[in-house]
Amino acid sequence: MKLYINTLGAFDIKSNGNSILMQSRRTYKLYKLFEYFLTFRNRKLRPEFIIDNLLSESESDDPKNILRTQIFRLRKVIKSFIGNEDESKYMNLSFKNGYYCLEIGENIVIDIDEFEEFIRKGDIERENNIQNAIQYYEKAIEIYRGVYFSDNAYEVWLVPTRNYYQRLYQKTLLKLIELLKIHNNYEKIILLCERSLLIEPYNEFTHENLMEAMINLGQNKAALNHYDYAYKLLEKELDAKPSEQFTSFLGRIQNSNLKNNDIDISSIKNKLDETAIHGALHCDLAYFKMLYNLEKRKSTRKNDNNYLCIINYPSCEKDYDTWSTLLEKALRKGDVFSFWNENQILILLYNARENGINIIIDRLFNNIKKHTEINKDEVKIVFQPLFEGNEIEG
């Protein structure tokens, strides 16, 4: 009988394909201790070292006694896993010469060991037999089901090991993709990338390889849809625009469309048009800056009626969505706005005469009073013509 231990993703121990873990409040700390010993398996560990990592927040005057008690209970749990079998062939948690050590025997199979072994074999075969290398890398990728011991997300002692296997997984995935490109097997690349993004959704390289495979298969619409989805996902996670390498894929997708399709100007216009136009346009700061500088270039006359507006307001958790909805309704269809920071909003007003500015100010304050709990006196609105002129405050 062999026992299989899963560490990549959710922790589990299986015998004959069935989990033998018993989940309860009493076992949570024991499994956490077991995960610690598995991470440092076959290594001698001083009690003080274990206490610093696992019991540093304990208020007990005798943490060594707590550790001894937990290890006593853990030994009973390990015994329940292997029954009357020879411990030396499975697991033996010993204490010798002041050190604890979890020794792993021949009848224990740990997924990270298999993971690394398949990668090692793939690296050997890559130089001589690409097909064999692909098969080994695929087996390694299938084993990776998530970050190392994902159930203990906030344990500091896990970080180095978790990062190691995460980087190893990404490197192996890229090796496998490069080999599949040699055989133009883009269908498999798409499946690999889609599976990988379910596990690690914020990896730019995986998104890029997925879009590249779609482009090579002529799936330009799918590539464009994925670009829009991934851009928003990464921008939200990174709180900044994705890298230049990622954003360059938009041009590649568009160029591929031009090469593969006889598109006339009417077709391009239809693709550029928004499906629905309601209220002012909300855009990110980079596009706002581009529009602002474009209008500055066009503002060559002193009687130009385009204005930059800044709204200063007190921040709160729900401001972003509230202000976005408010401005889309309060401003005109031709106007554009963007968030400068959590306390300021920028607006571009087109063809707004001075008496129109006062109407806009009144409309904004009425909507602020109607749709938010913000006090009108806490909000300051300043308008300035794009061509140099006097400020208008509200």
Side-chain angles (χ1 to χ4, degrees), residues 32 48-60 63 155-157:
K32 183 177 171 182
E48 294 81 7
F49 186 77
I50 302 171
I51 290 168
D52 286 343
N53 282 288
L54 297 180
L55 300 173
S56 59
E57 296 180 1
S58 173
E59 297 179 357
S60 172
E155 296 297 329
V156 176
W157 56 270

Side-chain angles (χ1 to χ4, degrees), residues 1-3 5 34 42 71-96 101-109:
M1 180 186 73
K2 287 186 178 290
L3 295 183
I5 301 179
F34 188 33
N42 299 320
I71 288 176
F72 173 77
R73 292 174 58 199
L74 179 57
R75 285 195 179 107
K76 293 178 68 176
V77 171
I78 292 174
K79 185 65 176 175
S80 71
F81 294 155
I82 63 178
N84 296 321
E85 301 289 339
D86 183 358
E87 288 186 0
S88 66
K89 292 184 178 181
Y90 291 88
M91 293 176 283
N92 181 35
L93 181 51
S94 62
F95 183 76
K96 296 177 183 177
C101 180
L102 178 67
E103 298 168 287
I104 300 297
E106 61 190 49
N107 285 345
I108 293 291
V109 180

Side-chain angles (χ1 to χ4, degrees), residues 126 130 134 175-186 189:
R126 188 168 51 159
I130 290 177
I134 287 174
K175 288 178 189 176
L176 177 55
I177 287 172
E178 291 305 314
L179 294 182
L180 291 172
K181 285 179 182 178
I182 295 173
H183 296 292
N184 296 322
N185 196 342
Y186 297 110
I189 291 174

